[in-house]
Amino acid sequence: MAYVVTDECIGCKYTDCVDVCPVSCFHEGPEMLYINPEECIDCNACVAECPPEAIWADVDLPEDKLQWIEINGEMSAKYPVLHESRGPHGQPSSQPS
Ligand code: SF4
Ligand code: SF4
C-alpha cells in the first residue's frame, strides 16, 4: 500500500503536505506533486494537510482515479524530492495567478 496524489493537485503547489511527511517522499513535477510508493510509510499525515483533497490511500481510490497509482510511481522516479513547502501556490499570494 502507498498514498497517491491525484489530479486535484494540478496547479495547487500549496505543498503543506510536504512538511508533515516523515520520510520526504513527495516529488515535484512541473504541474503537481507525486508520492514515491517505495518510500511512503502509509502514515496518513499528509491527507489532512491537503486542501483540495488530492491525496488518497491507493486502496481507497475510486475507479476513475486508479491510473494515478502508476503515474505516481513513474513520475516520482523522474522528478526530484521536494523537502520543504513553498508557501501558497509557490509564489507570494499578492501576485495574480
Ligand atoms: S497540498 Fe495537496 S494539492 Fe497541494 S501540493 Fe500537496 S498534495 Fe498537491
Ligand atoms: S502517507 Fe505519510 S509517508 Fe506517505 S506521503 Fe503521506 S505523509 Fe508521507
Side-chain angles (χ1 to χ4, degrees):
M1 186 179 143
Y3 280 65
V4 173
V5 186
T6 63
D7 48 343
E8 282 87 356
C9 179
I10 293 172
C12 167
K13 301 274 189 172
Y14 194 72
T15 63
D16 274 10
C17 51
V18 172
D19 289 337
V20 299
C21 181
V23 292
S24 294
C25 60
F26 282 94
H27 293 242
E28 185 180 34
E31 291 190 310
M32 59 178 279
L33 304 189
Y34 305 97
I35 290 171
N36 180 341
E38 307 293 327
E39 300 290 333
C40 176
I41 57 170
D42 305 329
C43 73
N44 194 48
C46 55
V47 172
E49 301 299 322
C50 177
E53 301 182 352
I55 305 172
W56 296 70
D58 57 4
V59 293
D60 293 333
L61 277 167
E63 204 165 320
D64 64 350
K65 291 189 185 294
L66 287 174
Q67 72 272 24
W68 288 96
I69 296 174
E70 192 175 337
I71 294 170
N72 275 249
E74 284 177 6
M75 295 306 216
S76 63
K78 187 172 173 184
Y79 291 110
V81 172
L82 181 63
H83 290 283
E84 291 183 338
S85 60
R86 294 197 184 286
H89 303 280
Q91 61 188 0
S93 56
S94 58
Q95 285 187 1
S97 56

